[in-house]
């Protein structure tokens, strides 16, 4: 599905795909990072965490 999302974004002129890292996923952060990194996403954790998010993912197309 991620390959399809990336292909769709490229075909439709998107320059960036981004999202937030949810605090719900903190218990399996290593697997999550591995997943996004294999598709080329940059992962950035924020210093200040709110109750829902602790970082973001970005892929420049």
């Amino acid at each position: 599905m991620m390959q399809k999302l990336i292909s769709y974004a490229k075909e439709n002129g998107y320059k960036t795909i981004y999202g937030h890292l949810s605090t719900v996923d903190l218990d399996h952060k290593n697997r999550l990072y591995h997943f996004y990194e294999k598709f080329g996403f940059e992962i950035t954790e924020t210093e200040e965490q709110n109750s829902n998010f602790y970082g973001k993912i970005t892929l420049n197309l």
Side-chain angles (χ1 to χ4, degrees):
M1 292 303 292
M2 184 63 76
Q3 284 292 9
K4 291 287 187 186
L5 172 65
I6 293 169
S7 294
Y8 176 86
K10 287 179 179 179
E11 291 168 6
N12 288 282
Y14 289 87
K15 303 290 183 209
T16 307
I17 298 173
Y18 67 93
H20 296 281
L21 296 171
S22 173
T23 54
V24 173
D25 297 319
L26 280 172
D27 63 334
H28 55 275
K29 186 166 48 170
N30 290 339
R31 288 186 297 157
L32 188 68
Y33 279 30
H34 175 74
F35 174 78
Y36 286 119
E37 287 171 344
K38 75 180 179 181
F39 290 103
F41 283 85
E42 179 182 331
I43 300 167
T44 308
E45 287 191 31
T46 56
E47 289 187 26
E48 292 183 26
Q49 297 179 10
N50 67 30
S51 61
N52 297 315
F53 305 110
Y54 68 94
K56 65 179 179 177
I57 57 166
T58 308
L59 179 63
N60 294 314
L61 303 173

